[in-house]
Amino acid sequence: MAGKVVLCFTTSRRYTTLSGDASFVKRAGGLGLIIARSPGYTLTPCKDDFPCVAVDYELGTDILFYIRSNGSPIVKIQPSRTIVGQPVGTKVATFSSRGPNSISPAILKPDIAAPGVNILAATSPNATNNAGGFAMYSGTSMAAPAISGVIALLKAMHPDWSPAAFRSAIVTTAWRTDPFGEQLPADGSSRKDADPFDYGGGLVNPEKAANPGLIYDMGPKDYILYLCSAGYNDSSISQLVGKVTVCSNPKPSVLDMNLPSITIPNLKDKVTLTRTVTNVGPVDSVYKVVVEPPFGVRVVVTPKKLVFNSKTKRVSFKVRASTMHKINTGYYFGSLIWTDSVHNVTIPVSARTQILQNYFDEN
């Protein structure tokens, strides 16, 4: 390796792999390292400013062909510099938590996505790979402050809104494509187009969230509905809320929680659920529904038009979903949109068909 730049292929995504390989090459007298791997998100430099770069397998293979086809392959090492141009493609990172919700499958998780990869962050001067107290960090610890900052700005604009109202505002106005209108990909064991189990409502859009038009608000009754549907007894719920509370019989459905999403984990035949929206836009507003149903699922919304005025600020609607699948399926995704031609209040819809009958021939 002495006096050469080494090309190395690896299946590992970890930064320690890149750093460790660079150390081996350096000790062997090498001048630099090119490591080919699955697409990653780290931009951390190698230790001691040793020249190294990570590329994907395709580019690594191109470099390998170049080496094998050229008697004297050449690589040029130059000082780092900033290149200004088109933004890097938006995608869901490999480490991002994914749905479905294992505790309450009828509640969509995650709710929202935010920038959390290679964020310039203040850190301890004693931290590894910091420069003057700053470093590039990735993770939920970077995305969560971004959402918190957006909520703080919304709170200043709408001090009387509830936490549920803020969640609704960011979910119903989120981006579901990149700035160029392209579908967002999701990195993982295999790369695919992102769906609500990857990003919830989408990528947070602060400007749109400030003026969502309609919100799916929730209060104590909605949270009690959830506790009842989850099977908590009256005594436990009463102690929690500080007053005598009795769950209805039959117990309520978690599908009726006023969430800015609809997830039906066991669609056997048909189901009807209710949502209520509150107008936070112009007083006299009229919204029409647009449904993009999940594949093989029929979705009917009634009424198809919501009319608001000075006396009517909250309106409920029903959603009836039925399956056209004849066998069990995985999740399929769609959207339910209320639009007044200015606001597009969008919630994700997901459904999975669960047929109890056995369709196999038993001969």
Side-chain angles (χ1 to χ4, degrees):
M1 298 184 193
K4 298 179 180 179
V5 173
V6 176
L7 172 64
C8 174
F9 285 76
T10 180
T11 58
S12 174
R13 295 173 180 268
R14 295 180 300 174
Y15 161 71
T16 51
T17 300
L18 176 61
S19 178
D21 290 354
S23 297
F24 285 125
V25 173
K26 184 179 180 180
R27 286 200 299 269
L31 300 180
L33 170 68
I34 302 170
I35 191 163
R37 62 180 185 182
S38 294
Y41 57 87
T42 56
L43 290 178
T44 310
C46 288
K47 294 180 180 179
D48 303 321
D49 291 329
F50 185 73
C52 66
V53 63
V55 299
D56 60 28
Y57 288 131
E58 289 79 8
L59 186 53
T61 302
D62 288 342
I63 296 172
L64 180 61
F65 286 159
Y66 164 68
I67 293 172
R68 289 179 173 177
S69 62
N70 192 303
S72 301
I74 298 173
V75 61
K76 185 181 293 185
I77 300 175
Q78 296 177 323
S80 300
R81 65 187 188 278
T82 300
I83 299 176
V84 179
Q86 296 289 357
V88 176
T90 306
K91 59 185 177 182
V92 181
T94 55
F95 59 77
S96 184
S97 296
R98 313 295 171 92
N101 187 333
S102 60
I103 303 299
S104 296
I107 297 178
L108 178 66
K109 287 294 175 180
D111 291 295
I112 195 72
V117 176
N118 292 317
I119 304 299
L120 183 61
T123 186
S124 166
N126 297 323
T128 305
N129 295 323
N130 87 94
F134 291 89
M136 303 290 277
Y137 284 149
S138 299
T140 303
S141 54
M142 296 293 101
I147 293 293
S148 299
V150 171
I151 298 300
L153 293 173
L154 294 178
K155 181 72 173 176
M157 297 179 66
H158 307 285
D160 57 335
W161 280 13
S162 68
F166 291 125
R167 172 172 61 180
S168 175
I170 62 176
V171 169
T172 60
T173 59
W175 281 302
R176 289 162 183 81
T177 62
D178 69 12
F180 304 101
E182 299 289 341
Q183 177 70 37
L184 298 177
D187 277 349
S189 56
S190 61
R191 197 169 184 180
K192 67 179 186 66
D193 287 343
D195 58 48
F197 283 165
D198 298 305
Y199 54 45
L203 180 62
V204 66
N205 183 341
E207 291 187 18
K208 289 285 187 181
N211 181 24
L214 302 176
I215 56 173
Y216 292 77
D217 205 358
M218 293 203 301
K221 290 183 179 180
D222 296 276
Y223 299 107
I224 292 173
L225 180 152
Y226 169 72
L227 294 172
C228 290
S229 69
Y232 290 92
N233 59 47
D234 295 345
S235 175
S236 298
I237 298 174
S238 298
Q239 289 182 1
L240 180 65
V241 300
K243 63 179 181 180
V244 177
T245 302
V246 179
C247 294
S248 61
N249 188 16
K251 69 180 182 180
S253 170
V254 67
L255 294 175
D256 287 324
M257 276 194 74
N258 203 40
L259 295 164
S261 60
I262 295 174
T263 302
I264 307 173
N266 297 294
L267 183 57
K268 297 180 178 65
D269 181 17
K270 59 184 177 181
V271 66
T272 300
L273 54 94
T274 302
R275 289 289 186 272
T276 301
V277 287
T278 303
N279 182 26
V280 293
V283 174
D284 296 310
S285 296
V286 178
Y287 284 82
K288 295 181 180 180
V289 71
V290 177
V291 177
E292 299 171 347
F295 174 76
V297 177
R298 187 166 183 261
V299 178
V300 178
V301 178
T302 53
K304 298 184 182 300
K305 181 188 294 185
L306 305 180
V307 180
F308 298 92
N309 52 46
S310 58
K311 294 183 178 180
T312 304
K313 296 183 179 180
R314 288 167 56 88
V315 178
S316 297
F317 62 91
K318 292 187 178 297
V319 179
R320 185 171 69 252
S322 57
T323 180
M324 293 179 281
H325 295 287
K326 301 301 181 183
I327 60 173
N328 294 344
T329 70
Y331 280 95
Y332 290 101
F333 303 95
S335 299
L336 190 159
I337 307 163
W338 289 104
T339 179
D340 64 351
S341 299
V342 176
H343 307 91
N344 292 315
V345 187
T346 305
I347 64 172
V349 177
S350 53
R352 181 181 65 165
T353 299
Q354 289 286 89
I355 304 296
L356 296 180
Q357 294 91 339
N358 186 356
Y359 281 89
F360 289 100
D361 228 356
E362 297 181 357
N363 292 327

